[in-house]
Each structure stands twice: as structure tokens, then as C-alpha cells.
């Protein structure tokens, strides 16, 4: 009888440990989803937007996690990153913006210092904390015909708004005519080891820091047709009333080039 009870106690204890281990593996921020497992082809022809968004939504639903993008050429429209989510672009992974303007919904954006309608960025986030995009993959803009749109504004590459703890690390961007990275109303930002290139002799910017605080930009190689790094806080009376200045910015050990004067 004692042996049976001891066995039952050990079994219950083991079961509790197994359940606890399972809970730890499902803890927010620990979930991992591969876009290939959700149907992404990575052939450069098939639109993989739905697979990417499904992976990102899965992480958002479970409190966060890692969306892994293995090597391949992924054609996508605009996708939205949720809180506590890392978009991991592995070596050989390349995201390219769709040529169809319908793949970039119209939303309210800050453009040239004012709020107005514009097409959502290729990679977008709003009111999401702890967002990370990390390399060493690459992100390429949509065709010039889309990124040169002004009324309404065309899609930028990356636009993250109203977030705290933003990390951009290790990836490269190219062929964008508008802003490559637009950070709006964000706090605690780190941009490190980025390689940013815009379309030649365009008015494309590298990193636009817009009404943000606590920003570190380091070890970045930025060569653009306009501003390599731009610090801004809106424009005119509306910006004064809003009173959201960009502040506490550290830029160090970067190579910054603009071809605008070439």
C-alpha cells in the first residue's frame, strides 16, 4: 500500500512538473513561428502576405513570440507587427514590397509634419511595445511608381508608431524612394548595425526619428538620396500644441552619406 501511494505521489509530482514546463514553453515572448509552416513560398512570385500576417497574428494572440523568416525571396504587401514580437530575418531572407497599391491600406500617418491619409508601410506597427526586427536578411521597397506617390503618401518601408522598446538590428534595406524607417511617438529605440540604401538620386531618407525619446543609432551604414538621419517633431502650431519633441538621441559610429548634392 505504501509503495502504491509513493508511486501515485511521484506520478502526480511528475505531472505537475510537466505541466509547468509546458506553461514555460508557451510563456509570452517564447512562441516561435516559421512563415514557411504557414504557407509562405519564398519564390519571389507568389504573394506571401497572408502567411506573414498569420504568423504575426499568431504571436500577437499568444502574447508575443518570434516570427522566423528563413532564406528565400518573399513578395509581400503591408503587414502589421504586434506587441512583444520579433521578426527574425535569417541569412538569405529577402522581403520585397508588392507592386500593387491595393496591398497597402490607407491609414492616418504623419507626413511632412502633418497628419493625413497615407498608405500603410510594408512593415507597420502601432501601439505595440517590445517590437524587434532583426537581421541579417534584407528588405526591399515596392516599385518606384508606388513609393513616389504623394497624395496620398505612398508606402514607406518600416513605420513603427506609439511603441516602447523598439529594436532594429542587423538587416539591410534598399531601393526605397520614400522614408526607409519612420519612427513616430516611440520611446527607448535602438537601431544598430543597419545598412540602408535608397533609390539613386531620390528623395529617400534613411531613418526618420519623429517625436521620439531615448534613441540610440549606432554602427549603421546609411547612403541615401536625401537625409541619412532626420530628427523631427512635427510642424507649425499643431506640433507646438502637441508638444512631443524628439529628445535624448545618441548617434555614434555611423557612416552617413547623401547623394542629394551629387
Amino acid at each position: 500500500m505504501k509503495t502504491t501511494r509513493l508511486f501515485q505521489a511521484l506520478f502526480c509530482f511528475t505531472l505537475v512538473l510537466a505541466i509547468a514546463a509546458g506553461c514555460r514553453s508557451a510563456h509570452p515572448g517564447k512562441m516561435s513561428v516559421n512563415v514557411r509552416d504557414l504557407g509562405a513560398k519564398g519564390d519571389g512570385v507568389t504573394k506571401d502576405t497572408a502567411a506573414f500576417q498569420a504568423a504575426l497574428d499568431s504571436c500577437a494572440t499568444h502574447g508575443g513570440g518570434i516570427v522566423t523568416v528563413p532564406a528565400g525571396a518573399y513578395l509581400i504587401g503591408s503587414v502589421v507587427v504586434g506587441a512583444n514580437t520579433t521578426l527574425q530575418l535569417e541569412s538569405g531572407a529577402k522581403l520585397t514590397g508588392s507592386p500593387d497599391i491595393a496591398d497597402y491600406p490607407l491609414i492616418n500617418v504623419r507626413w511632412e509634419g502633418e497628419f493625413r491619409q497615407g498608405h500603410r508601410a510594408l512593415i507597420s506597427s502601432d501601439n505595440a511595445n517590445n517590437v524587434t526586427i532583426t537581421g541579417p536578411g534584407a528588405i526591399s521597397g515596392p516599385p518606384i511608381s508606388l513609393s513616389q506617390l504623394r497624395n496620398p503618401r505612398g508606402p514607406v518601408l518600416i513605420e513603427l508608431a506609439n511603441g516602447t522598446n523598439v529594436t532594429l538590428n542587423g538587416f539591410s534595406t534598399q531601393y526605397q524612394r520614400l522614408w526607409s524607417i519612420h519612427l513616430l511617438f516611440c520611446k527607448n529605440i535602438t537601431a544598430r548595425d543597419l545598412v540602408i540604401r535608397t533609390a539613386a538620386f531620390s528623395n529617400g531618407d534613411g531613418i526618420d526619428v519623429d517625436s521620439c525619446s531615448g534613441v540610440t543609432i549606432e554602427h549603421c551604414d546609411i547612403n541615401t538620396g536625401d537625409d541619412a538621419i532626420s530628427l523631427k517633431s512635427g510642424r507649425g502650431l499643431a506640433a507646438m500644441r502637441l508638444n512631443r519633441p524628439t529628445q535624448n538621441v545618441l548617434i555614434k559610429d555611423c557612416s552617413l552619406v547623401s547623394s542629394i548634392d551629387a
Side-chain angles (χ1 to χ4, degrees):
M1 179 67 71
K2 290 183 179 180
T3 303
T4 301
R5 289 177 179 173
L6 178 60
F7 176 79
Q8 290 174 337
L10 288 173
F11 175 79
C12 291
F13 180 70
T14 302
L15 181 61
V16 169
L17 288 179
I19 293 173
C23 291
R24 283 196 298 272
S25 67
H27 189 276
K30 299 298 184 182
M31 182 179 185
S32 181
V33 184
N34 190 311
V35 295
R36 294 272 189 172
D37 294 337
L38 293 182
K41 301 298 183 184
D43 58 13
V45 177
T46 306
K47 286 185 182 178
D48 290 322
T49 315
F52 271 70
Q53 194 60 67
L56 293 165
D57 288 347
S58 181
C59 286
T61 299
H62 292 85
I66 301 171
V67 173
T68 301
V69 184
Y74 301 89
L75 181 66
I76 63 170
S78 176
V79 295
V80 178
V81 183
N84 307 308
T85 298
T86 295
L87 182 61
Q88 173 74 45
L89 307 177
E90 295 189 344
S91 180
K94 182 179 180 180
L95 312 186
T96 299
S98 163
D100 299 321
I101 195 62
D103 291 332
Y104 306 90
L106 286 172
I107 62 171
N108 195 41
V109 300
R110 187 189 248 184
W111 168 240
E112 295 184 338
E114 299 178 354
F115 287 97
R116 59 184 73 183
Q117 275 206 325
H119 292 278
R120 199 171 69 193
L122 184 65
I123 300 175
S124 176
S125 181
D126 190 21
N127 287 302
N129 298 331
N130 307 314
V131 169
T132 296
I133 304 173
T134 187
I139 305 172
S140 181
I144 297 297
S145 59
L146 300 192
S147 63
Q148 69 183 2
L149 295 175
R150 294 296 182 269
N151 188 24
R153 187 205 73 180
V156 303
L157 276 189
I158 298 171
E159 193 161 46
L160 310 179
N162 300 294
T164 299
N165 300 331
V166 172
T167 302
L168 306 172
N169 179 69
F171 59 88
S172 62
T173 72
Q174 55 189 332
Y175 305 130
Q176 175 65 359
R177 186 160 184 170
L178 276 171
W179 300 335
S180 298
I181 299 172
H182 182 211
L183 304 166
L184 174 65
F185 299 149
C186 291
K187 299 178 181 179
N188 302 335
I189 302 163
T190 300
R192 179 184 296 118
D193 295 324
L194 304 179
V195 177
I196 298 175
R197 299 289 185 268
T198 64
F201 304 104
S202 71
N203 59 346
D205 288 0
I207 302 175
D208 284 63
V209 181
D210 198 350
S211 292
C212 296
S213 63
V215 182
T216 298
I217 302 174
E218 59 184 357
H219 310 304
C220 292
D221 179 357
I222 306 175
N223 189 327
T224 67
D226 201 349
D227 301 321
I229 298 174
S230 177
L231 307 181
K232 55 185 69 177
S233 304
R235 176 184 293 177
L237 184 59
M240 292 179 63
R241 288 173 175 167
L242 189 60
N243 192 28
R244 294 285 297 272
T246 285
Q247 56 189 349
N248 301 326
V249 178
L250 173 63
I251 301 171
K252 65 177 184 178
D253 298 326
C254 292
S255 172
L256 307 177
V257 177
S258 172
S259 64
I260 193 169
D261 295 324

